[in-house]
Coordinates of all heavy atoms in Angstrom, one line a residue:
A1 N -10.1 28.9 25.3 CA -8.7 29.1 24.8 C -7.8 28.6 25.9 O -8.2 28.4 27.0 CB -8.6 30.6 24.7
I2 N -6.5 28.5 25.5 CA -5.4 28.0 26.4 C -5.3 29.1 27.6 O -5.5 30.3 27.3 CB -4.1 27.8 25.8 CG1 -3.2 27.1 26.8 CG2 -3.7 29.1 25.1 CD1 -1.9 26.7 26.0
D3 N -5.2 28.6 28.8 CA -4.9 29.5 29.9 C -3.5 29.9 29.9 O -2.4 29.2 30.1 CB -5.2 28.7 31.2 CG -4.8 29.5 32.5 OD1 -4.5 30.7 32.5 OD2 -4.8 28.9 33.6
P4 N -3.2 31.3 29.6 CA -1.9 31.8 29.7 C -1.2 31.7 31.0 O 0.2 31.7 31.0 CB -2.0 33.2 29.2 CG -3.4 33.5 29.5 CD -4.2 32.3 29.5
Q5 N -1.8 31.4 32.1 CA -1.2 31.4 33.4 C -1.0 29.7 33.7 O -1.0 29.4 34.9 CB -1.9 31.9 34.4 CG -2.4 33.3 34.2 CD -1.1 34.3 34.1 OE1 -0.2 33.9 34.8 NE2 -1.3 35.3 33.4
F6 N -1.2 28.9 32.8 CA -1.1 27.4 32.9 C -0.1 27.0 33.9 O -0.2 26.0 34.6 CB -1.2 26.6 31.6 CG 0.2 26.7 30.9 CD1 1.3 25.8 31.1 CD2 0.5 27.7 29.9 CE1 2.5 26.0 30.4 CE2 1.7 27.9 29.3 CZ 2.7 27.0 29.5
N7 N 1.2 27.5 33.7 CA 2.3 27.0 34.6 C 2.2 27.5 36.0 O 3.0 26.9 36.9 CB 3.7 27.5 34.0 CG 3.7 28.9 33.7 OD1 2.7 29.6 33.6 ND2 4.9 29.7 33.6
E8 N 1.2 28.3 36.4 CA 0.9 28.6 37.7 C -0.2 27.9 38.1 O -0.4 27.4 39.4 CB 0.7 30.1 37.9 CG 1.9 31.0 37.9 CD 1.6 32.4 37.7 OE1 0.5 32.8 38.1 OE2 2.4 33.2 37.2
N9 N -1.2 27.6 37.3 CA -2.5 26.9 37.7 C -2.6 25.4 37.6 O -3.6 24.8 37.9 CB -3.6 27.6 36.8 CG -3.8 29.1 37.0 OD1 -3.5 29.5 38.0 ND2 -4.3 29.8 36.0
R10 N -1.4 25.0 36.8 CA -1.3 23.5 36.6 C -0.1 22.9 37.2 O 0.8 23.7 37.5 CB -1.5 23.2 35.2 CG -2.9 23.6 34.5 CD -2.7 23.3 33.0 NE -4.1 23.5 32.3 CZ -4.8 22.6 31.6 NH1 -4.2 21.5 31.3 NH2 -5.9 22.9 31.0
E11 N 0.0 21.7 37.3 CA 1.1 21.0 37.8 C 1.7 20.2 36.7 O 0.9 19.6 35.9 CB 1.0 20.1 39.0 CG 0.7 20.7 40.2 CD 0.4 19.8 41.4 OE1 0.9 18.7 41.3 OE2 -0.3 20.2 42.3
Q12 N 3.1 20.3 36.5 CA 3.8 19.4 35.6 C 3.6 18.0 36.0 O 4.0 17.7 37.1 CB 5.2 19.7 35.4 CG 5.9 18.9 34.3 CD 7.3 19.3 34.1 OE1 7.9 20.4 34.6 NE2 8.0 18.4 33.4
V13 N 3.0 17.1 35.2 CA 2.7 15.8 35.6 C 3.7 14.8 34.8 O 3.7 13.5 35.1 CB 1.3 15.3 35.4 CG1 0.5 16.1 36.4 CG2 0.8 15.6 34.0
D14 N 4.2 15.2 33.7 CA 5.0 14.3 32.8 C 5.9 15.1 32.0 O 6.0 16.3 31.9 CB 4.0 13.5 32.0 CG 4.5 12.1 31.4 OD1 5.8 11.9 31.7 OD2 3.8 11.4 30.8
E15 N 6.7 14.4 31.2 CA 7.6 14.9 30.2 C 7.3 14.1 28.9 O 7.0 13.0 28.9 CB 9.0 14.8 30.6 CG 9.9 16.0 30.3 CD 11.3 16.0 30.7 OE1 11.5 15.4 31.9 OE2 12.3 16.3 30.1
H16 N 7.5 14.8 27.7 CA 7.3 14.2 26.5 C 8.3 14.8 25.4 O 8.2 16.0 25.3 CB 5.9 14.5 26.0 CG 5.5 13.9 24.7 ND1 5.1 14.8 23.5 CD2 5.6 12.6 24.2 CE1 5.0 13.9 22.6 NE2 5.2 12.6 22.9
E17 N 9.1 13.9 24.9 CA 10.1 14.3 23.9 C 10.8 15.7 24.3 O 11.1 16.5 23.6 CB 9.3 14.8 22.6 CG 8.6 13.7 22.0 CD 9.4 12.6 21.3 OE1 10.6 12.8 20.9 OE2 8.9 11.4 21.3
G18 N 11.2 15.6 25.6 CA 12.1 16.7 26.2 C 11.4 18.0 26.6 O 11.9 18.9 27.1
H19 N 9.9 17.9 26.5 CA 9.2 19.1 27.0 C 8.2 18.7 28.0 O 7.9 17.5 28.2 CB 8.5 20.0 26.0 CG 7.6 19.0 25.0 ND1 8.0 18.6 23.9 CD2 6.4 18.5 25.3 CE1 7.0 17.9 23.3 NE2 6.0 17.8 24.1
A20 N 7.8 19.7 28.9 CA 6.8 19.5 30.0 C 5.4 19.1 29.5 O 4.9 19.5 28.5 CB 6.8 20.6 30.9
V21 N 4.7 18.3 30.4 CA 3.2 18.0 30.2 C 2.6 18.5 31.4 O 3.0 18.1 32.5 CB 3.1 16.6 29.8 CG1 1.5 16.3 29.7 CG2 3.7 16.1 28.7
W22 N 1.6 19.5 31.3 CA 0.9 20.0 32.3 C -0.5 19.5 32.5 O -1.3 19.4 31.7 CB 0.9 21.5 32.2 CG 2.1 22.2 32.0 CD1 2.9 22.3 30.8 CD2 3.0 22.8 32.9 NE1 4.0 23.0 31.0 CE2 4.2 23.3 32.3 CE3 2.9 23.1 34.3 CZ2 5.2 23.9 33.0 CZ3 3.8 23.6 35.1 CH2 5.0 24.1 34.3
G23 N -0.7 18.8 33.7 CA -1.9 18.1 33.8 C -3.2 19.0 34.1 O -3.1 20.2 34.0
P24 N -4.3 18.4 34.3 CA -4.5 17.0 34.5 C -4.5 16.2 33.3 O -4.9 16.8 32.2 CB -5.9 16.8 35.2 CG -6.6 18.0 34.7 CD -5.5 19.2 34.6
V25 N -4.0 15.0 33.3 CA -4.0 14.0 32.1 C -4.7 12.7 32.6 O -4.5 12.2 33.6 CB -2.5 13.6 31.7 CG1 -2.6 12.6 30.7 CG2 -1.9 14.9 31.1
E26 N -5.7 12.3 31.7 CA -6.4 11.1 32.0 C -6.7 10.5 30.5 O -7.7 10.8 29.9 CB -7.7 11.4 32.6 CG -8.6 10.3 33.2 CD -7.8 9.7 34.4 OE1 -7.6 10.4 35.4 OE2 -7.5 8.4 34.3
E27 N -5.6 9.8 30.0 CA -5.7 9.4 28.7 C -6.9 8.2 28.5 O -7.2 7.5 29.4 CB -4.4 8.6 28.3 CG -3.2 9.7 28.2 CD -1.8 9.1 27.9 OE1 -1.8 7.8 27.7 OE2 -0.9 9.8 27.9
P28 N -7.4 8.3 27.4 CA -7.1 9.1 26.1 C -8.0 10.4 26.0 O -7.8 11.1 25.1 CB -7.4 8.2 25.0 CG -8.7 7.4 25.5 CD -8.4 7.3 26.9
E29 N -8.8 10.6 26.9 CA -9.8 11.8 26.8 C -9.3 13.0 27.2 O -9.7 14.2 26.7 CB -11.1 11.5 27.7 CG -11.8 10.4 27.1 CD -11.4 9.1 27.9 OE1 -10.6 9.1 28.8 OE2 -12.1 8.0 27.7
E30 N -8.2 13.0 28.2 CA -7.8 14.3 28.8 C -6.3 14.3 28.6 O -5.6 13.4 29.2 CB -8.2 14.5 30.3 CG -8.1 15.9 30.7 CD -8.8 16.1 32.1 OE1 -8.9 15.0 32.8 OE2 -9.1 17.2 32.5
L31 N -5.7 15.2 27.9 CA -4.2 15.1 27.5 C -3.3 16.2 28.1 O -2.3 16.1 28.0 CB -4.0 15.0 26.0 CG -4.7 13.7 25.3 CD1 -4.6 13.9 23.9 CD2 -4.2 12.5 25.9
G32 N -4.0 17.3 28.6 CA -3.3 18.4 29.3 C -2.5 19.2 28.2 O -3.0 19.3 27.0
I33 N -1.6 20.1 28.6 CA -0.9 21.0 27.8 C 0.6 20.5 27.6 O 1.2 20.1 28.6 CB -0.9 22.4 28.6 CG1 -2.2 23.2 28.6 CG2 0.1 23.3 27.9 CD1 -2.3 24.3 29.2
H34 N 1.0 20.6 26.4 CA 2.4 20.1 26.1 C 3.3 21.3 25.8 O 2.8 22.3 25.1 CB 2.5 19.2 24.8 CG 2.0 17.8 25.2 ND1 2.9 16.8 24.8 CD2 0.9 17.4 25.8 CE1 2.2 15.6 25.3 NE2 1.2 15.9 25.8
G35 N 4.5 21.5 26.4 CA 5.4 22.6 26.2 C 5.2 23.7 27.2 O 4.3 23.8 28.0
T36 N 6.2 24.5 27.3 CA 6.2 25.6 28.2 C 6.5 26.9 27.5 O 5.6 27.8 27.5 CB 7.4 25.4 29.3 OG1 7.1 24.2 29.9 CG2 7.4 26.4 30.4
H37 N 7.6 27.0 26.8 CA 7.7 28.3 26.0 C 6.6 28.3 24.9 O 6.1 29.4 24.6 CB 9.1 28.5 25.4 CG 9.3 29.7 24.8 ND1 9.4 30.9 25.3 CD2 9.4 29.8 23.3 CE1 9.5 31.8 24.3 NE2 9.6 31.2 23.1
V38 N 6.6 27.3 24.2 CA 5.5 27.1 23.2 C 4.6 26.0 23.8 O 4.9 24.8 23.8 CB 6.0 26.7 21.9 CG1 4.8 26.6 20.8 CG2 7.0 27.7 21.3
A39 N 3.3 26.5 24.2 CA 2.5 25.5 24.9 C 1.2 25.3 24.1 O 0.6 26.3 23.5 CB 2.0 26.1 26.3
V40 N 1.0 24.1 23.9 CA -0.4 23.6 23.1 C -1.2 22.9 24.0 O -0.9 22.0 24.5 CB 0.1 22.8 22.0 CG1 -1.1 22.3 21.1 CG2 1.0 23.5 21.0
D41 N -2.5 23.5 24.1 CA -3.4 22.7 25.0 C -4.0 21.7 24.0 O -4.9 21.9 23.1 CB -4.5 23.7 25.4 CG -5.4 23.1 26.4 OD1 -5.7 22.0 26.3 OD2 -5.9 23.8 27.4
F42 N -3.6 20.4 24.3 CA -4.1 19.3 23.6 C -5.6 19.1 23.7 O -6.3 18.3 22.7 CB -3.4 18.1 24.0 CG -2.0 17.9 23.4 CD1 -1.3 18.8 22.8 CD2 -1.4 16.5 23.3 CE1 -0.1 18.6 22.1 CE2 -0.2 16.3 22.6 CZ 0.5 17.3 22.1
D43 N -6.1 19.5 24.8 CA -7.7 19.3 25.0 C -8.5 20.3 24.2 O -9.8 20.2 24.1 CB -8.0 19.3 26.4 CG -7.3 18.2 27.1 OD1 -7.5 17.1 26.6 OD2 -6.6 18.3 28.2
I44 N -7.8 21.3 23.6 CA -8.5 22.4 22.7 C -8.2 22.0 21.2 O -9.0 22.3 20.5 CB -8.1 23.8 23.3 CG1 -8.5 23.9 24.7 CG2 -8.6 24.8 22.2 CD1 -8.0 25.4 25.2
C45 N -7.0 21.7 21.0 CA -6.5 21.5 19.6 C -7.5 20.5 18.8 O -7.9 19.6 19.2 CB -5.1 20.8 19.6 SG -4.5 20.4 17.9
I46 N -7.9 21.1 17.5 CA -8.8 20.3 16.7 C -8.0 19.7 15.5 O -8.6 19.4 14.4 CB -10.0 21.1 16.3 CG1 -9.6 22.2 15.7 CG2 -10.9 21.5 17.6 CD1 -10.7 23.1 15.0
A47 N -6.6 19.8 15.6 CA -5.8 19.4 14.5 C -6.0 20.1 13.3 O -5.9 19.6 12.1 CB -6.0 17.8 14.2
D48 N -6.2 21.4 13.3 CA -6.5 22.4 12.2 C -5.2 22.3 11.2 O -5.3 22.3 10.0 CB -6.6 23.8 12.5 CG -6.8 24.8 11.5 OD1 -7.8 24.8 10.9 OD2 -5.7 25.4 11.2
G49 N -4.0 22.3 11.9 CA -2.7 22.3 11.1 C -2.2 23.5 10.6 O -1.0 23.5 10.2
A50 N -2.8 24.7 10.9 CA -2.2 25.9 10.4 C -0.9 26.3 11.2 O 0.0 26.6 10.4 CB -3.2 27.0 10.7
C51 N -0.7 25.9 12.4 CA 0.5 26.1 13.1 C 1.7 25.3 12.5 O 2.8 25.7 12.2 CB 0.3 25.8 14.6 SG -0.1 24.0 14.9
V52 N 1.3 24.0 12.2 CA 2.3 23.1 11.6 C 2.9 23.7 10.3 O 4.0 23.6 10.0 CB 1.8 21.7 11.5 CG1 2.8 20.8 10.9 CG2 1.2 21.2 12.8
E53 N 1.9 24.2 9.5 CA 2.2 24.6 8.1 C 2.9 25.9 8.2 O 3.8 26.2 7.4 CB 1.0 24.7 7.3 CG 0.3 23.5 6.9 CD -1.1 23.6 6.3 OE1 -1.4 24.7 5.9 OE2 -1.8 22.7 6.4
D54 N 2.4 26.8 9.1 CA 3.1 28.2 9.1 C 4.3 28.5 9.9 O 4.9 29.5 9.6 CB 1.9 29.1 9.5 CG 0.7 29.2 8.4 OD1 0.9 28.6 7.5 OD2 -0.2 30.0 8.8
C55 N 4.6 27.7 11.0 CA 5.7 27.9 11.7 C 7.0 28.0 10.9 O 7.3 27.0 10.3 CB 5.8 27.0 12.8 SG 7.4 27.3 13.9
P56 N 7.7 29.2 10.9 CA 8.9 29.2 9.9 C 10.1 28.4 10.4 O 11.0 28.3 9.6 CB 9.2 30.8 10.1 CG 8.7 31.1 11.4 CD 7.5 30.4 11.6
V57 N 10.1 27.9 11.6 CA 11.2 27.1 12.1 C 10.8 25.7 12.5 O 11.6 25.0 13.2 CB 12.0 27.8 13.3 CG1 12.8 29.1 12.6 CG2 11.1 28.2 14.4
D58 N 9.7 25.2 12.1 CA 9.2 23.9 12.2 C 9.2 23.3 13.7 O 9.8 22.4 14.1 CB 9.9 23.0 11.4 CG 9.7 23.1 9.9 OD1 8.6 23.6 9.5 OD2 10.6 22.9 9.1
V59 N 8.6 24.2 14.5 CA 8.6 23.8 16.0 C 7.6 22.5 16.2 O 7.9 21.8 16.9 CB 8.1 25.0 16.9 CG1 7.6 24.5 18.2 CG2 9.2 26.0 17.0
F60 N 6.6 22.5 15.4 CA 5.5 21.5 15.6 C 5.8 20.2 14.8 O 6.1 20.2 13.7 CB 4.1 22.1 15.3 CG 3.8 23.3 16.1 CD1 4.1 24.5 15.4 CD2 3.4 23.3 17.4 CE1 3.8 25.8 16.1 CE2 3.2 24.5 18.1 CZ 3.3 25.7 17.4
E61 N 5.3 19.1 15.5 CA 5.3 17.8 14.9 C 4.0 17.1 15.2 O 3.6 17.2 16.3 CB 6.6 16.9 15.3 CG 7.7 17.3 14.7 CD 9.0 16.5 15.2 OE1 8.7 15.4 16.0 OE2 10.1 16.9 15.0
W62 N 3.3 16.4 14.3 CA 2.2 15.7 14.7 C 2.3 14.6 15.6 O 3.3 13.8 15.4 CB 1.5 15.2 13.4 CG 0.8 16.3 12.5 CD1 1.3 16.7 11.1 CD2 -0.3 17.0 12.8 NE1 0.6 17.8 10.6 CE2 -0.5 18.0 11.6 CE3 -1.1 17.2 13.9 CZ2 -1.4 18.9 11.6 CZ3 -2.2 18.2 13.7 CH2 -2.2 19.0 12.6
V63 N 1.5 14.3 16.6 CA 1.5 13.2 17.4 C 0.1 12.5 17.3 O -0.9 13.5 17.3 CB 1.8 13.4 18.8 CG1 3.3 13.8 19.0 CG2 1.0 14.3 19.5
D64 N -0.1 11.3 17.2 CA -1.4 10.5 17.2 C -2.0 10.5 18.6 O -1.3 10.2 19.6 CB -1.2 9.2 16.7 CG -0.8 9.2 15.2 OD1 -1.4 10.1 14.5 OD2 -0.1 8.4 14.8
T65 N -3.3 10.8 18.8 CA -3.8 10.9 19.9 C -5.2 10.2 19.8 O -6.4 10.8 19.9 CB -4.2 12.4 20.5 OG1 -4.9 13.1 19.5 CG2 -2.8 12.9 20.8
P66 N -5.3 9.0 19.4 CA -6.5 8.2 19.2 C -7.5 8.2 20.5 O -6.9 8.0 21.6 CB -6.1 6.8 18.8 CG -4.7 6.6 19.4 CD -4.0 8.0 19.2
G67 N -8.7 8.4 20.2 CA -9.7 8.5 21.3 C -9.9 9.7 22.0 O -10.7 9.9 22.9
H68 N -9.1 10.8 21.5 CA -9.4 12.1 22.1 C -10.7 12.7 21.4 O -10.8 12.7 20.3 CB -8.2 13.0 21.9 CG -8.4 14.3 22.7 ND1 -9.0 15.4 22.2 CD2 -8.1 14.6 24.0 CE1 -9.0 16.4 23.2 NE2 -8.5 15.9 24.3
P69 N -11.6 13.3 22.2 CA -12.8 13.8 21.7 C -12.7 14.9 20.7 O -13.5 15.2 19.8 CB -13.6 14.1 23.0 CG -12.6 14.3 24.1 CD -11.5 13.3 23.7
E70 N -11.6 15.7 20.8 CA -11.5 16.9 19.8 C -10.8 16.5 18.5 O -11.2 17.0 17.4 CB -10.7 18.1 20.4 CG -11.6 18.6 21.6 CD -12.9 19.2 21.3 OE1 -13.2 19.5 20.1 OE2 -13.7 19.5 22.1
S71 N -9.8 15.6 18.6 CA -9.1 15.2 17.3 C -8.2 14.1 17.6 O -7.7 13.9 18.7 CB -8.3 16.4 16.8 OG -7.5 16.9 17.7
E72 N -7.9 13.3 16.6 CA -7.1 12.1 16.8 C -5.7 12.4 16.5 O -4.8 11.4 16.5 CB -7.5 11.0 15.7 CG -9.0 10.7 15.9 CD -9.3 9.3 16.4 OE1 -8.9 8.4 15.8 OE2 -10.1 9.1 17.5
E73 N -5.3 13.7 16.3 CA -3.8 13.9 16.3 C -3.7 15.4 16.9 O -4.7 16.2 16.8 CB -3.2 13.7 14.9 CG -3.9 14.6 13.8 CD -3.2 14.3 12.5 OE1 -2.2 13.7 12.4 OE2 -3.8 14.9 11.5
K74 N -2.6 15.7 17.4 CA -2.3 17.0 18.0 C -1.0 17.6 17.4 O -0.1 17.0 17.1 CB -2.3 17.0 19.5 CG -3.3 16.2 20.1 CD -4.7 17.1 20.0 CE -5.8 16.2 20.6 NZ -7.1 17.0 20.5
A75 N -0.8 19.0 17.4 CA 0.5 19.6 17.0 C 1.3 19.7 18.3 O 1.0 20.5 19.2 CB 0.2 21.0 16.5
D76 N 2.4 18.9 18.4 CA 3.2 18.8 19.5 C 4.4 19.8 19.4 O 5.0 19.8 18.3 CB 3.7 17.3 19.7 CG 4.4 17.1 20.9 OD1 3.9 17.6 22.0 OD2 5.4 16.4 20.9
P77 N 4.6 20.7 20.4 CA 5.7 21.6 20.3 C 7.0 21.0 20.5 O 7.9 21.4 21.5 CB 5.5 22.7 21.4 CG 4.7 21.8 22.3 CD 3.8 20.8 21.6
A78 N 7.5 20.0 19.5 CA 8.6 19.0 19.8 C 9.9 19.9 19.8 O 10.9 19.5 20.4 CB 8.6 18.1 18.6
N79 N 9.9 21.0 19.0 CA 11.2 21.7 18.9 C 11.0 23.1 19.5 O 11.4 24.1 18.9 CB 11.6 21.8 17.5 CG 11.7 20.4 16.8 OD1 12.4 19.5 17.3 ND2 10.9 20.2 15.7
E80 N 10.3 23.2 20.7 CA 10.0 24.5 21.2 C 11.3 25.5 21.4 O 11.2 26.7 21.3 CB 9.3 24.5 22.5 CG 9.9 23.9 23.7 CD 9.0 24.0 24.9 OE1 8.0 24.7 24.9 OE2 9.6 23.4 25.9
A81 N 12.3 24.8 21.6 CA 13.6 25.6 21.8 C 14.0 26.5 20.6 O 14.9 27.4 20.6 CB 14.8 24.8 22.2
Q82 N 13.5 26.0 19.4 CA 13.8 26.7 18.2 C 13.0 28.0 17.9 O 13.3 28.8 16.9 CB 13.8 25.8 17.0 CG 14.9 24.7 17.0 CD 14.6 23.7 15.8 OE1 14.0 24.0 14.8 NE2 15.1 22.4 16.2
C83 N 12.0 28.2 18.7 CA 10.8 29.2 18.5 C 11.6 30.4 18.5 O 12.6 30.9 19.3 CB 10.0 29.1 19.6 SG 8.6 30.4 19.6
I84 N 11.3 31.4 17.5 CA 11.8 32.8 17.3 C 10.8 33.8 17.8 O 10.9 34.9 17.4 CB 12.2 32.9 15.8 CG1 11.2 32.7 14.9 CG2 13.6 32.0 15.5 CD1 11.6 33.2 13.5
D85 N 9.6 33.3 18.4 CA 8.7 34.3 18.9 C 8.0 35.1 17.9 O 7.7 36.3 18.1 CB 9.3 35.2 19.9 CG 9.8 34.4 21.2 OD1 9.5 33.3 21.3 OD2 10.6 35.0 21.9
C86 N 7.7 34.7 16.7 CA 7.1 35.5 15.7 C 5.6 35.5 15.9 O 4.9 36.4 15.4 CB 7.4 34.8 14.3 SG 6.4 33.3 14.1
M87 N 5.0 34.6 16.8 CA 3.7 34.7 17.1 C 2.7 34.3 16.1 O 1.4 34.4 16.2 CB 3.2 36.0 17.7 CG 4.0 36.4 19.0 SD 4.3 35.3 20.3 CE 2.9 35.8 21.4
L88 N 3.2 33.8 15.0 CA 2.3 33.4 13.9 C 1.3 32.2 14.3 O 0.1 32.3 14.0 CB 3.1 32.9 12.7 CG 2.5 33.1 11.3 CD1 2.2 34.5 10.9 CD2 3.8 32.7 10.2
C89 N 1.9 31.3 15.0 CA 0.9 30.2 15.4 C -0.1 30.5 16.3 O -1.3 30.0 16.1 CB 1.8 29.1 16.1 SG 2.8 29.6 17.6
V90 N 0.3 31.5 17.2 CA -0.8 32.0 18.1 C -1.9 32.7 17.2 O -3.1 32.5 17.6 CB -0.2 33.0 19.2 CG1 -1.2 33.7 20.0 CG2 0.8 32.3 20.0
D91 N -1.6 33.4 16.2 CA -2.6 34.1 15.4 C -3.4 33.3 14.6 O -4.6 33.6 14.4 CB -1.8 35.2 14.7 CG -1.2 36.4 15.5 OD1 -1.7 36.6 16.5 OD2 -0.3 36.9 14.9
V92 N -2.8 32.1 14.1 CA -3.5 31.4 13.0 C -4.4 30.2 13.7 O -5.4 29.7 13.1 CB -2.6 30.7 12.0 CG1 -1.9 31.8 11.1 CG2 -1.5 29.8 12.7
C93 N -4.1 29.9 14.9 CA -4.9 28.8 15.5 C -6.3 29.2 15.7 O -6.6 30.1 16.4 CB -4.3 28.3 16.8 SG -5.4 27.0 17.6
P94 N -7.3 28.5 15.0 CA -8.7 29.0 15.0 C -9.2 28.7 16.4 O -10.4 29.3 16.7 CB -9.3 28.0 14.0 CG -8.5 26.8 13.9 CD -7.1 27.2 14.1
V95 N -8.7 27.9 17.3 CA -9.3 27.6 18.6 C -8.5 28.1 19.7 O -8.7 27.7 20.9 CB -9.6 26.1 18.7 CG1 -10.8 25.7 17.8 CG2 -8.4 25.3 18.5
D96 N -7.5 29.0 19.4 CA -6.7 29.5 20.5 C -6.0 28.5 21.4 O -6.2 28.7 22.7 CB -7.3 30.6 21.2 CG -7.7 31.9 20.4 OD1 -6.9 32.1 19.5 OD2 -8.7 32.5 20.7
A97 N -5.5 27.5 20.8 CA -5.0 26.4 21.6 C -3.5 26.7 22.0 O -3.0 25.9 22.8 CB -5.0 25.0 21.0
I98 N -2.9 27.7 21.5 CA -1.3 27.8 21.7 C -1.1 29.2 22.5 O -1.6 30.3 22.1 CB -0.8 27.9 20.3 CG1 -1.1 26.8 19.3 CG2 0.8 28.0 20.5 CD1 -0.5 26.8 18.1
D99 N -0.1 29.0 23.3 CA 0.4 30.2 24.0 C 1.9 30.2 23.9 O 2.6 29.2 24.1 CB 0.0 30.1 25.4 CG 0.5 31.2 26.3 OD1 0.1 32.4 26.1 OD2 1.5 31.1 27.1
V100 N 2.4 31.4 23.4 CA 3.8 31.5 23.4 C 4.3 32.6 24.3 O 3.8 33.7 24.2 CB 4.3 31.9 21.9 CG1 5.9 32.2 21.9 CG2 4.0 30.7 20.9
D101 N 5.1 32.2 25.2 CA 5.6 33.3 26.2 C 6.8 33.9 25.7 O 8.0 33.4 25.7 CB 5.9 32.5 27.5 CG 6.5 33.5 28.5 OD1 6.2 34.7 28.3 OD2 7.1 33.0 29.6
A102 N 6.5 35.1 25.0 CA 7.6 35.8 24.3 C 8.4 36.8 25.3 O 9.2 37.5 25.0 CB 7.0 36.6 23.1
G103 N 7.8 36.8 26.6 CA 8.3 37.8 27.6 C 9.8 37.6 27.8 O 10.5 38.4 28.1
Ligands
SF4_1 FE1 6.9 28.9 15.4 FE2 6.5 31.6 15.5 FE3 5.0 29.9 16.9 FE4 7.3 30.2 17.6 S1 6.0 31.8 17.7 S2 6.3 28.2 17.5 S3 8.5 30.4 15.8 S4 5.1 30.0 14.6
F3S2 FE1 -4.1 22.4 16.7 FE2 -4.4 25.1 16.6 FE3 -2.4 23.9 15.5 S1 -6.1 23.5 16.4 S2 -3.0 21.9 14.9 S3 -2.8 24.0 17.7 S4 -3.5 25.6 14.6
ZN3 ZN1 4.5 16.6 23.6

């Protein structure tokens, strides 16, 4: 599962579509965590798609990640600022790849 303390245990190594990327990143096999308020561990995501389908405010957008061992696309928290903290995505992800900091 995603480490809920990722922002203390990892370093921000990049930015993507206006959100942080937390390392380590070693493309294409290791992609890190995308987002901060809505964080998706790309190395855990298996592209199930439940988060993309269920988010009421369309926070997630698919990004292609060819060559990643778990899946060739990931749910990117492209619109994390729109999140209303409903926690639906956290509940539906089958591999616990998402952390939402509703605090
Ligand atoms: Fe969308 Fe709710 Fe997840 Fe926020 S907590 S990203 S609003 S499903
Ligand atoms: Fe990935 Fe979980 Fe969403 S596997 S696509 S983050 S439901
Ligand atoms: Zn991203």
Side-chain angles (χ1 to χ4, degrees):
I2 186 171
D3 174 9
Q5 310 293 335
F6 69 88
N7 50 340
E8 290 165 22
N9 297 334
R10 295 175 178 234
E11 281 179 33
Q12 184 179 344
V13 295
D14 203 355
E15 215 176 328
H16 177 240
E17 303 287 337
H19 54 259
V21 179
W22 305 85
V25 171
E26 195 71 54
E27 293 178 2
E29 297 91 357
E30 196 173 22
L31 299 173
I33 291 175
H34 281 231
T36 303
H37 179 73
V38 180
V40 180
D41 192 324
F42 275 22
D43 295 311
I44 296 176
C45 174
I46 57 170
D48 175 83
C51 62
V52 181
E53 286 167 26
D54 290 357
C55 176
V57 291
D58 294 332
V59 162
F60 303 99
E61 287 176 10
W62 290 112
V63 295
D64 292 327
T65 57
H68 190 271
E70 294 298 339
S71 57
E72 306 244 308
E73 54 182 356
K74 307 293 177 183
D76 192 37
N79 308 305
E80 68 173 351
Q82 293 175 24
C83 176
I84 57 171
D85 298 343
C86 73
M87 305 310 265
L88 208 53
C89 58
V90 173
D91 292 342
V92 296
C93 178
V95 290
D96 292 330
I98 308 174
D99 180 65
V100 174
D101 179 14

